Amino acid sequence: MKVAYFTNDQVPQFSKEKTVVIIFSEFAQLEKSEENFDCIIVADSKIENTIKIIEKIRKNIQFYLLPIFTNIENAEQLLSICDGDITRESWDVLVKKAQAINELRSLLVLPTVPFDLDTKVLQYTFTRENIIITPRLDWQTKALYVYPLLKILAVKTNDDLALLKNLQDRNLIEKETLHDRLHCCSKCHYAHINYIDTCPSCHSINIKEVDFLHCFTCGHVAAQDDFTRGNRLKCPRCQAVLRHIGSDYDRPIENYHCLDCEDNFSEAEVIAKCLMCQHSNTLDRLVSQPIYSYKMTELGRLSTANNSIADMYNVFDILNYLTPQHFNQQLNWILQLAERHLEINFGILAFDIIGLDIFVQKEGRYAGHMLLEECTERIRQTIRTTDFTTRTSENRLWLLAPQTSAEGSQLLGKRLRAIADLTQQHDGIKLTFNIIVLFSGDISLKDETAETLIMKINEDLDAWRD
């Protein structure tokens, strides 16, 4: 076991004879070292220094997955970014932890250049089995909560909630525990809200709570102070003496008075004013934001271990999606209809999405997923609600367009190609859709089935790809 040890004090004796300890005082020394370490211990006597060193390690592409242990007692804030505390656990236990992490780390394709945060989060979570990505309350942040693991792995400022939602949408992580539910400004989505009671008539905040009385004799309603005459109650309008509540007077439901418009009311109108952008929200316009902890799914573990981008194509499975089996049934049905009824026609389009792997290598997985989401939305706007889609491999999509002419089918193919062209980046990288368009009038319908038709199109697409 080779240990990098950061300390400003004496190094303790380790129980294992085969443990090699190399002392560092600054992170720059570790960066220059050519040793391959099995774990890192950060044992500075000041927690501020410990946090700074750990942050540099976790942000560094070379060391961020290494096991880190600390000797700071009662440092709960370090638990989500470290792997153990040498003041609480024996060295033998920590060695077993380090070995387990390094064994999983050896299964990954480790990067040599900086890459996107979601991959770092997935790889870190993969190497720590049963780890939970947990939020921590932080009033200085936009959402009032931060995820320490994401914060320490990130090289630049990042929207934690958006990244976690992205990973969840791809089924790579799943919700574990609901910690809180925030209400955020509908304009800027900040969770710093001030709730203000206002007048329902003029919306002024210049209101006060008042005890009102209602005279049964004349019906006059006013503040209790207006009825008080010495040590008795007397109506200021009809001069009736009010002795018994329920027979002479009662207390109306109104208990607020507006000092601007003089209106009396029973319930104030609550306005939620954002302390960031000053926007005034009604309560029903506030955006609900649940705060969860998360854990990795089995698909997430498999995708991370294989360094696969297959999960990213799942965004297309919401476009009037049918399973391949049901898509074939629908295609068989319309083939039979078209054979019997000349007025029935349809178009079928199949296309491969080419270039996502190159885009992800250049721009990162998160950017790749956002690009596919944009493509999905544009395709959604292009197809009709009566059209059906399916996916027979990770990047091969099918579209069945009932009652579509030959011209309409070609126009649809042209619009799909235009969507791919819109993905071009400033450096020329873009997605390509290899599209085959077929019209029912060009298909020999006699004895044709969905299976045989799809097999022919698959062969043409495979030949195109080769």
Side-chain angles (χ1 to χ4, degrees), residues 81-246:
I81 58 177
C82 292
D83 300 292
D85 191 335
I86 60 174
T87 63
R88 303 180 185 180
E89 300 171 273
S90 69
W91 178 241
D92 290 342
V93 171
L94 296 179
V95 167
K96 290 180 180 178
K97 282 188 176 183
Q99 289 172 341
I101 292 171
N102 289 326
E103 183 177 346
L104 292 171
R105 191 166 66 96
S106 67
L107 302 177
L108 299 175
V109 178
L110 299 179
T112 56
V113 295
F115 60 109
D116 51 315
L117 178 59
D118 62 340
T119 303
K120 291 179 73 175
V121 172
L122 289 172
Q123 289 194 346
Y124 186 92
T125 309
F126 174 84
T127 55
R128 276 79 176 165
E129 287 191 285
N130 303 319
I131 189 175
I132 304 297
I133 304 175
T134 306
R136 179 170 60 84
L137 188 64
D138 186 347
W139 66 270
Q140 294 178 305
T141 60
K142 170 182 176 179
L144 292 179
Y145 281 90
V146 295
Y147 288 81
L149 177 60
L150 273 62
K151 184 178 179 181
I152 200 167
L153 291 176
V155 177
K156 58 184 179 180
T157 303
N158 186 76
D159 188 338
D160 291 356
L161 295 175
L163 185 141
L164 291 170
K165 184 180 184 304
N166 177 278
L167 295 177
Q168 184 191 350
D169 290 345
R170 290 153 58 188
N171 296 321
L172 302 178
I173 62 173
E174 61 185 357
K175 299 171 184 175
E176 172 70 9
T177 304
L178 177 64
H179 290 260
D180 204 347
R181 181 173 281 109
L182 306 176
H183 293 93
C184 305
C185 174
S186 60
K187 184 176 181 180
C188 70
H189 290 264
Y190 265 70
H192 298 261
I193 301 293
N194 183 29
Y195 295 91
I196 308 171
D197 291 336
T198 66
C199 172
S201 297
C202 70
H203 307 295
S204 169
I205 65 172
N206 191 18
I207 64 175
K208 68 176 183 179
E209 198 167 357
V210 177
D211 291 328
F212 287 95
L213 296 183
H214 171 217
C215 174
F216 283 173
T217 302
C218 67
H220 181 58
V221 176
Q224 181 172 319
D225 291 345
D226 295 342
F227 284 82
T228 303
R229 297 292 185 271
N231 59 356
R232 64 178 182 170
L233 298 176
K234 187 176 181 180
C235 179
R237 175 185 290 178
C238 68
Q239 304 303 314
V241 177
L242 310 180
R243 293 186 176 87
H244 305 290
I245 188 169

Side-chain angles (χ1 to χ4, degrees), residues 241-461:
V241 177
L242 310 180
R243 293 186 176 87
H244 305 290
I245 188 169
S247 59
D248 296 331
Y249 70 97
D250 67 1
R251 297 185 182 278
I253 59 174
E254 292 85 355
N255 58 349
Y256 287 98
H257 176 69
C258 178
L259 299 174
D260 287 345
C261 70
E262 300 297 328
D263 189 25
N264 299 325
F265 49 93
S266 59
E267 290 186 10
E269 182 182 55
V270 180
I271 296 297
K273 190 171 184 178
C274 177
L275 298 178
M276 175 55 65
C277 70
Q278 301 299 305
H279 179 63
S280 294
N281 304 265
T282 56
L283 296 185
D284 61 329
R285 297 292 295 173
L286 291 174
V287 178
S288 179
Q289 177 62 66
I291 302 295
Y292 288 94
S293 55
Y294 295 87
K295 64 180 180 180
M296 185 173 249
T297 63
E298 286 303 316
L299 176 61
R301 299 193 66 81
L302 182 63
S303 176
T304 304
N306 296 332
N307 196 31
S308 170
I309 62 172
D311 63 274
M312 300 175 68
Y313 293 101
N314 292 341
V315 297
F316 290 109
D317 295 348
I318 58 173
L319 294 168
N320 302 347
Y321 180 79
L322 296 177
T323 64
Q325 179 183 359
H326 290 133
F327 186 89
N328 285 4
Q329 291 174 355
Q330 196 71 27
L331 181 55
N332 270 324
W333 177 73
I334 202 168
L335 282 168
Q336 294 170 15
L337 279 180
E339 184 180 1
R340 294 182 181 182
H341 305 282
L342 297 179
E343 69 275 13
I344 299 295
N345 53 47
F346 63 90
I348 182 167
L349 294 85
F351 60 99
D352 286 341
I353 302 170
I354 307 299
L356 181 63
D357 52 346
I358 298 174
F359 183 91
V360 168
Q361 288 174 10
K362 184 76 174 178
E363 305 291 339
R365 293 171 63 94
Y366 181 75
H369 185 77
M370 298 306 293
L371 183 69
L372 289 187
E373 280 197 338
E374 183 180 341
C375 288
T376 302
E377 184 56 34
R378 292 183 184 276
I379 295 174
R380 187 205 303 276
Q381 295 170 3
T382 301
I383 66 177
R384 304 166 302 181
T385 55
T386 53
D387 299 336
F388 302 104
T389 70
T390 193
R391 191 160 58 96
T392 54
S393 65
E394 64 181 35
N395 67 325
R396 180 164 295 177
L397 277 71
W398 298 76
L399 174 64
L400 177 61
Q403 289 303 95
T404 302
S405 64
E407 295 78 10
S409 299
Q410 292 297 332
L411 179 60
L412 187 54
K414 182 179 179 181
R415 288 176 175 172
L416 290 175
R417 292 187 187 96
I419 291 174
D421 291 338
L422 290 173
T423 66
Q424 182 164 333
Q425 306 298 301
H426 58 82
D427 55 3
I429 295 177
K430 71 168 189 174
L431 301 183
T432 301
F433 291 172
N434 289 348
I435 303 178
I436 290 179
V437 181
L438 282 182
F439 174 61
S440 56
D442 300 325
I443 301 172
S444 177
L445 298 176
K446 186 174 178 59
D447 299 325
E448 188 72 87
T449 66
E451 290 74 13
T452 57
L453 182 59
I454 286 176
M455 182 176 65
K456 294 174 184 176
I457 298 174
N458 275 328
E459 290 175 352
D460 291 341
L461 278 174

Side-chain angles (χ1 to χ4, degrees), residues 45-105:
S45 58
K46 294 183 178 180
I47 190 170
E48 299 82 11
N49 295 339
T50 296
I51 292 175
K52 288 180 181 179
I53 294 173
I54 293 174
E55 283 181 346
K56 291 180 180 179
I57 296 171
R58 289 293 185 226
K59 293 182 188 302
N60 185 278
I61 195 70
Q62 182 180 354
F63 305 112
Y64 83 97
L65 285 179
L66 281 176
I68 298 179
F69 306 122
T70 179
N71 75 332
I72 301 296
E73 294 187 29
N74 302 318
E76 278 72 16
Q77 59 181 304
L78 298 177
L79 294 180
S80 58
I81 58 177
C82 292
D83 300 292
D85 191 335
I86 60 174
T87 63
R88 303 180 185 180
E89 300 171 273
S90 69
W91 178 241
D92 290 342
V93 171
L94 296 179
V95 167
K96 290 180 180 178
K97 282 188 176 183
Q99 289 172 341
I101 292 171
N102 289 326
E103 183 177 346
L104 292 171
R105 191 166 66 96

